[in-house]
Amino acid sequence: MKNKLSKETKRTAIITTIICFIPIIIGACLYNRLPDTIATHWDFKGNANGFSSKFVGVIVFPGILAVLNIFTPFMFSIDPKYTNAGEKIKAVIQWIFPITSVFCTTITLGSALGYDINVELFAPIFVGILFTVIGNFLPKTKQTYTIGIRVPWTLNSEENWNKTHRMAGYLWVVCGILFIASAFLPESEILYTILLCVIIFVPIIYSYVIYRKENK
């Protein structure tokens, strides 16, 4: 049975969806000024290593983020534990797509128009800020099927969920700050990889360890 979305969630979904379409509109206005092939991916050193047609780069990619943004409230609505999620964490998740779309499209369009974009500086700072913001809300996140560290051990135990998200919150904030700091360090691509692995795998391993202790 579907849950009824709150007015705040619906309002946020409308605003964020509108913002998601702004990069597409700007890209369409600049379309004739862009080269046929544009850079859409960069390595850790800021070198372009992935290219797409300008249609894919300025229309399809931000369009996908817009669709995901529209789809997110639907996922909230069919979550049996929807009411557990606070309005703030739902808003944070909803805002990720438009902010990412604006950030990525700005870099893509700026690079395509010949501007010198310092991708190796801006990208890790952006990612670090995202991790830090999300990390601040993780300890307050209650059990849901759409938000949080959703592994069998956390979903089957509220205590496991709470302990895992409390630890993960501190971990994400620390790793987010390190991500931002690493943007100013030379040859930091190995550090980025390590931080990503820590953020992804440490909470999962931690939740499993708690599960094993609970079931001894």
Side-chain angles (χ1 to χ4, degrees), residues 13-81:
I14 293 171
I15 294 172
T16 54
T17 300
I18 292 173
I19 295 175
C20 277
F21 280 102
I22 291 177
I24 300 176
I25 296 171
I26 294 175
C29 293
L30 297 173
Y31 198 79
N32 291 332
R33 295 175 53 189
L34 301 173
D36 293 334
T37 302
I38 60 176
T40 53
H41 190 275
W42 290 261
D43 61 21
F44 288 120
K45 295 182 179 180
N47 301 312
N49 61 358
F51 298 86
S52 303
S53 67
K54 61 181 178 180
F55 176 77
V56 172
V58 304
I59 305 296
V60 175
F61 285 164
I64 291 174
L65 289 174
V67 171
L68 290 174
N69 186 76
I70 295 170
F71 188 67
T72 299
F74 170 75
M75 293 300 298
F76 289 158
S77 71
I78 62 175
D79 186 345
K81 296 179 180 290

Side-chain angles (χ1 to χ4, degrees), residues 35-198:
D36 293 334
T37 302
I38 60 176
T40 53
H41 190 275
W42 290 261
D43 61 21
F44 288 120
K45 295 182 179 180
N47 301 312
N49 61 358
F51 298 86
S52 303
S53 67
K54 61 181 178 180
F55 176 77
V56 172
V58 304
I59 305 296
V60 175
F61 285 164
I64 291 174
L65 289 174
V67 171
L68 290 174
N69 186 76
I70 295 170
F71 188 67
T72 299
F74 170 75
M75 293 300 298
F76 289 158
S77 71
I78 62 175
D79 186 345
K81 296 179 180 290
Y82 163 77
T83 54
N84 284 352
E87 293 298 327
K88 290 184 178 180
I89 186 62
K90 285 186 288 187
V92 168
I93 299 300
Q94 192 82 67
W95 275 100
I96 287 176
F97 296 110
I99 292 174
T100 302
S101 181
V102 170
F103 176 79
C104 293
T105 303
T106 299
I107 289 179
T108 301
L109 290 176
S111 175
L113 292 172
Y115 293 99
D116 185 17
I117 307 295
N118 196 344
V119 180
E120 67 272 27
L121 176 66
F122 295 135
I125 291 177
F126 175 74
V127 173
I129 291 173
L130 281 182
F131 286 150
T132 304
V133 171
I134 294 174
N136 273 286
F137 286 95
L138 280 178
K140 307 168 189 175
T141 306
K142 303 301 180 182
Q143 274 184 318
T144 70
Y145 292 105
T146 50
I147 300 173
I149 301 165
R150 305 177 311 279
V151 292
W153 316 295
T154 56
L155 292 174
N156 288 331
S157 168
E158 186 174 354
E159 183 180 0
N160 190 313
W161 176 284
N162 292 336
K163 288 181 178 179
T164 299
H165 282 75
R166 188 161 52 246
M167 183 280 296
Y170 291 116
L171 183 68
W172 279 50
V173 169
V174 171
C175 288
I177 294 172
L178 290 176
F179 241 100
I180 296 172
S182 65
F184 301 94
L185 299 176
E187 305 296 330
S188 52
E189 54 265 26
I190 296 178
L191 179 58
Y192 295 148
T193 304
I194 294 173
L195 291 174
L196 287 173
C197 290
V198 168

